[in-house]
Amino acid sequence: MDGDDSSKDLRTQSFSGVGLACRRGGRLVFTGLDFSISPGGALVLRGPNGSGKTTLLRVMAGLTHFTAGHLAWDSVPVEDPDSHAARLRFVTHLDAVKPALTVTENLAFWTALWRGKEASIAAAMAAFDLTRLAEFPARLLSAGQRHRLALARLLVAPAPLWLLDEPGNALDTASRDALARAIADHRASGGMVVVASHEAAFVENGDTLDVGLFTPKIASHWSDDELSGAAE
Amino acid sequence: MDGDDSSKDLRTQSFSGVGLACRRGGRLVFTGLDFSISPGGALVLRGPNGSGKTTLLRVMAGLTHFTAGHLAWDSVPVEDPDSHAARLRFVTHLDAVKPALTVTENLAFWTALWRGKEASIAAAMAAFDLTRLAEFPARLLSAGQRHRLALARLLVAPAPLWLLDEPGNALDTASRDALARAIADHRASGGMVVVASHEAAFVENGDTLDVGLFTPKIASHWSDDELSGAAE
Amino acid sequence: MSVFTSILARDLRLAIRQSADSLTVVAFFAIATVLFPFGVGPEANVLARIAGGVVWVTALLAALLSLDRLFTVDFEDGTLDQLVLSGEPLSFIVLGKVVAHWLTTGVPLIIMSPILAVTLHLPAEGYLPLMLALLLGTPTVSLVGAVGAALVLGTRRGGVLLSLLVLPLYIPVLIFGTAAVEAALTGVSATPMLSVLGGFAVLALTLCPWATAAALRQAVE
Amino acid sequence: MSVFTSILARDLRLAIRQSADSLTVVAFFAIATVLFPFGVGPEANVLARIAGGVVWVTALLAALLSLDRLFTVDFEDGTLDQLVLSGEPLSFIVLGKVVAHWLTTGVPLIIMSPILAVTLHLPAEGYLPLMLALLLGTPTVSLVGAVGAALVLGTRRGGVLLSLLVLPLYIPVLIFGTAAVEAALTGVSATPMLSVLGGFAVLALTLCPWATAAALRQAVE
Amino acid sequence: MHRFANPTQFMRIANAIYPWVAGLAVILFVVGLPIALVTSPPDYQQGQTVRIMYIHVSSAWLMMMIYGIVAGGSAAFLIWRHPMANLVAKASAPMGAIFTGLALITGMLWGQPMWGTFWVWDARLTSTLILFFLYLGYIALNDAFEDSERGDRAAAILALVGSVNLPIIHFSVEWWNTLHQPSIMKLSGDGVKSSVDGAILLPLFLMMGAFTMYYLAVLVLRLRSELLAAKIRNARMSQVAVDAAVGQPAE
Amino acid sequence: MDAILNYLNMDGYAAWVWPAYGLATVALVGILVQTRRTLKTREREFETLKSSRRGGQA
Ligand code: HEM
Ligand SMILES: Nc1ncnc2c1ncn2[C@@H]1O[C@H](COP(=O)(O)OP(=O)(O)OP(=O)(O)O)[C@@H](O)[C@H]1O
Ligand SMILES: Nc1ncnc2c1ncn2[C@@H]1O[C@H](COP(=O)(O)OP(=O)(O)OP(=O)(O)O)[C@@H](O)[C@H]1O
Ligand SMILES: [Mg+2]
Ligand SMILES: [Mg+2]
């Protein structure tokens, strides 16, 4: 039931990571990475393709395992993935939309799961200009409309931390503005936002974190040093 | 074998459509739509989300059936979908990349299928900064790297008409420049480009076509008029 | 429990909206069973001899086929990421999906089974034990299958790999399930076999949702 | 023909790179067959009586399971769009994929079959006709299955619907396939049955690639 | 062809023939049933069971004719994209499935007294069973898609592929020697010859005619119903989508 | 009476002949009833839709 009143204490929360390192497919994607977001803050992840923005977002969400460092929420180390998950919303490349359900039904499902209020569904649809499509099965939506439906999920049940992976993909100008507004509102009420994007448009006065400015290192389970005497 | 020398006569070709109408899921997406592209020309499709840009590109590719109007190539009506397909390349939202094959193997397959030259593979990879990733299995690529691999397919075997659906998605600045360069080179050698995009950056001096500026009409197989006397 | 019911409700709604789905599971069950008289020949005594086993094996294969896609769609469209991030116990969510699966495929199989038993010339006294055995056995089938379905997420040809993982685990269910039918035909009480099947179901209910949740977590990593 | 060979080469390469795939088809074949002694009981004479039929039925089901995903991956990742737009006859492309499928699943099944026949106590004179019948029958299975796989693209739970569409069409193959084994066991020549199977294969080869291509075209529309 | 593609024109013709086929169906049943059930003599070989034939052969004939119509409609739909042809196919298929079921069951009811078994795996029986499954597959495929137009096209292709089965059903009794009766009719140089007595042929033809007219009459009703459904969909869609988001210039 | 019973008995084939006719009747009547019923419900639905739209416009 803490989902319900989490909106109240948005302001008191902060999120940070220290010395994070992550290995994917045998290569070290990043190492020694620090970040910190305070209430109302925003962090824009930048970096060329393949620099590790998506990976870092998944680490922040607790989905991907990291090899060193730690995450902290209000200075308390993040340990239980479920309770960490309850305080964040993650919009990924995949939009988790069920084609057979209508726009409203899609949102209603997530609202129920996240114990949000029924009433917020209409507001979320309005924010992303989906109201007129409310009774359309999602299979009839175009790429941008589907993506807007995924974004509308951010608003059905409040959560302090938003993780957005290239949220501008496929959006038209009006929808980009709507997204920027939603982000600004969320921050104004004390929420935090992390955006991985090649365009800066959505976030005003956010911090910037350059991901992957170092040469990626090879990383098997063990470093060369550790292996040195092993296979002789 | 005509794929081989199609590059020679790029200049002489033009592509146009007259009075196109298309129905999807029982609704008329567009109707009475005309366009025309001359050699070296470019057409930018604009319109809010859901206005029918993707649908129009699929119609141009001969994939989606249209209910009225016709397409013409060099003023000759397009009839056989296979021979029309041989003169175009289509980059869609889906990148048709096989995760189990390396970057080179992915490109080599399409080169063979389209009867392109082996040598062009290296050039295509260089154009989209994939050379360092040549021997990487595609499953290790990030979103932007995968999309660059899809774009590199444009260069492995020449075809006069490029259809690009939101080609800028997930690309970093350097890759956007590379894409803009590829498009400019293609047009300089007489090729044609159609781009559906919410950003104009990739095309210089292109024509613009606003898709879906009229109110969509309802269309089952039959209009109400046609049905009027049917079920009494 | 609200998680459980909202998952259950959504999956049931999806199943009803695409009602052809559970019908086709039953259709597979029927067709695969009907293949046997073609393959084995139509002699009634041979068929009657193998009827219980054939119905059980095809029921297992039918359940397996439908389990194949239990999580695949959610995995591919990103829903699974979101479910793992729901902040609710993942094993409850899993349980909701498994119960929806059982209601839409297991129950139709049970209802269908006596009809197929007739075409295979199973003696009438075998019908009730067959249905009871299926009633107690199919929940285990769904629960164990869910673990397998979660493990093979992200592999190509998951379906075949799934059967490799899961079919061996079905063997005990199969043995006691057919033994129950056998017992009834030879006039012995089927109760001991049925209670073993019930025991399997309880065991599966306590272990499988947890194991499935763990498998799903590593699938989205 | 270069289209055909490049498709064939790519699909074979993909299959080898994920060699677990064709292994799992064979594994399914083996496990499903081995389930029968558990379901039916271990008596050698009963098993011998049904051996040919069981091997054939499980081979069909194994092929079906692997056919399920023949086009799905290409459909979902956009490759199919590109193949339809290749400008080459789509039926050649289809043929390339089907041949690759048959080489990676049909052939291993044929090689595996005598081993399974032994476990089901099939008399030794049945081995050769069984393998020959599978050799002539499995191409039809792959070809017909390809039509079904193309038709169900884009449905949820395609696998089960696929079996509803395709298994009935396998019935003639099954009948003549088991009849060939039966004939050899009773000392009659199996040649007439084998030539009917060959006839089916020729018929399927002329019709199915075309029908599959039509189905694929409408799937990407 | 294009005249029939317009539903109003098509239904004008259909509605015009409706009273005739419906009336004929009633007359043929009223005349045919008493002859089939009472006045016609028992067969010298098959005795009274010959009365099953009047239903069995009529259903079998109809199931094949309907499949022909389904396949033909599907072909027209795929080649010329005539939705009306598809509608005819779609409206016929469930009836075809039911008549196939009827042919199978009456055949089994006839087989038990005649051959001593309900079922043998001979070519005609097997190919009839396959026809039944093809009908079921057509129906299942038709509503397996979220986009109903895709279902239409996929099912149409299946119907065309399955039409290979039709000649097999018909000629199976000649190509393989089976338990099943060979054809009653033989077309030879000097016209239609029959091996069967006229007293049995008369009720047979009456019943076949009655079944056929019945099918045509019900088909008209089902087409009306399908077109009404299309009208309802149109009306529904226009209510939802009059202002549905899409295509309006961004203000 | 005997004649009728004798007729109904069909020389001992009653168990095969009558079910055949019975099932055929059920099938034919069933299709007809089902078809007419959906037709009627759709007609009614269409009428209400039409009248409600007219009401909306007024
Ligand atoms: C389940 C069992 C049976 C099935 C599936 C079946 C199927 C068929 C089919 C499909 C036809 C139509 C063939 C055509 O028009 O080309 C037919 C016709 C006929 N059947 Fe059967 N049948 C069955 C059992 C029987 C039995 C037991 C008898 C009689 C002993 C019988 C006697 C006939 C006769 C006399 C015809 C008309 C022959 C002709 O004109 O072609 N059938 N049956
Ligand atoms: N397969 C389909 N079935 C039914 N309707 C569809 C289908 N695909 C698209 N539509 C409808 O057609 C309209 C146009 O869609 P399309 O994808 O062409 O838009 P778009 O201009 O590409 O939009 P976006 O900018 O969001 O990509 C949408 O409103 C959508 O509802
Ligand atoms: N599942 C994986 N297995 C192995 N390596 C991976 C995996 N996912 C990503 N990588 C590697 O990690 C690196 C970072 O990928 P990531 O997706 O985080 O990049 P990104 O910054 O999001 O790039 P983009 O801008 O293209 O989305 C890539 O170079 C990629 O090769
Ligand atoms: Mg990324
Ligand atoms: Mg689009």
Side-chain angles (χ1 to χ4, degrees), chain D residues 24-216:
Chain D
T24 43
V25 177
V26 179
F28 171 84
F29 182 45
I31 296 178
T33 311
V34 170
L35 281 184
F36 278 90
F38 291 102
V40 171
E43 294 142 56
N45 61 331
V46 177
L47 287 177
R49 176 70 194 71
I50 63 172
V54 167
V55 169
W56 257 103
V57 172
T58 49
L60 289 182
L61 295 178
L64 198 70
L65 243 76
S66 63
L67 276 163
D68 179 16
R69 296 185 73 68
L70 183 59
F71 300 113
T72 322
V73 180
D74 282 351
F75 178 67
E76 284 166 358
D77 73 5
T79 303
L80 200 58
D81 280 346
Q82 303 294 338
L83 289 178
V84 170
L85 287 177
S86 71
E88 307 286 341
L90 193 52
S91 42
F92 269 17
I93 295 182
V94 165
L95 200 62
K97 286 193 81 73
V98 173
V99 171
H101 174 264
W102 183 74
L103 287 177
T104 53
T105 62
V107 171
L109 287 189
I110 298 170
I111 297 171
M112 189 72 184
S113 59
I115 303 169
L116 292 175
V118 175
T119 68
L120 292 173
H121 303 276
L122 185 76
E125 58 271 31
Y127 297 168
L128 190 66
L130 178 64
M131 288 183 76
L132 282 177
L134 283 170
L135 185 68
L136 289 165
T138 45
T140 314
V141 168
S142 291
L143 284 161
V144 172
V147 183
L151 283 174
V152 302
L153 276 182
T155 58
R156 253 170 35 108
R157 299 216 181 137
V160 194
L161 184 57
L162 176 63
S163 49
L164 175 62
L165 298 183
V166 160
L167 280 182
L169 299 178
Y170 287 170
I171 291 178
V173 178
L174 176 61
I175 289 177
F176 284 94
T178 51
V181 182
E182 205 71 6
L185 294 188
T186 53
V188 185
S189 161
T191 319
M193 286 80 181
L194 293 179
S195 46
V196 173
L197 285 177
F200 286 154
V202 172
L203 189 70
L205 193 63
T206 50
L207 285 182
C208 292
W210 171 85
T212 311
L216 290 180

Side-chain angles (χ1 to χ4, degrees), chain E residues 46 53 56-57 60-61 63-64 103-108 110-112 114-115 118-119 124-125 128-129 169-171 173 180-185:
Chain E
Q46 296 165 328
M53 176 171 82
H56 171 71
V57 178
W61 147 250
M63 83 186 185
M64 293 175 66
L104 282 166
I105 291 178
T106 53
M108 287 166 77
W110 202 357
Q112 182 64 20
M114 283 301 103
W115 309 333
F118 282 118
W119 192 259
R124 169 157 285 179
L125 274 59
T128 308
L129 187 66
I169 296 180
H170 184 68
F171 294 111
V173 282
H180 195 279
Q181 304 263 312
S183 286
I184 300 175
M185 297 296 156

Side-chain angles (χ1 to χ4, degrees), chain B residues 105-166:
Chain B
E105 284 169 341
N106 265 295
L107 285 176
F109 168 70
W110 295 105
T111 313
L113 192 69
W114 291 329
R115 304 163 198 264
K117 296 195 196 68
E118 282 283 320
S120 57
I121 297 177
M125 287 199 293
F128 287 100
D129 193 20
L130 291 164
T131 315
R132 288 173 312 164
L133 301 169
E135 298 312 317
F136 269 51
R139 84 191 130 80
L140 296 185
L141 301 184
S142 75
Q145 290 165 339
R146 277 177 75 108
H147 190 58
R148 265 149 53 189
L149 175 50
L151 289 170
R153 268 204 306 266
L154 289 168
L155 303 179
V156 293
L161 176 63
W162 289 2
L163 306 174
L164 312 178
D165 198 359
E166 310 199 28

Side-chain angles (χ1 to χ4, degrees), chain F residues 3-17:
Chain F
I4 293 175
L5 276 183
N6 195 30
Y7 165 73
L8 286 179
N9 186 37
M10 285 280 159
D11 296 348
Y13 290 121
W16 317 115
V17 176

Side-chain angles (χ1 to χ4, degrees), chain A residues 142-143, chain B residues 53-54 93 165-166:
Chain A
S142 74
Chain B
K53 302 179 294 299
T54 301
H93 290 289
D165 198 359
E166 310 199 28

Side-chain angles (χ1 to χ4, degrees), chain A residues 89 95-97 107 110 114 149-157, chain C residues 82:
Chain A
R89 297 282 172 266
D95 41 28
V97 163
L107 286 177
W110 295 104
W114 291 329
L149 175 50
L151 288 171
R153 268 205 304 267
L154 289 169
L155 303 180
V156 293
Chain C
Q82 303 294 337

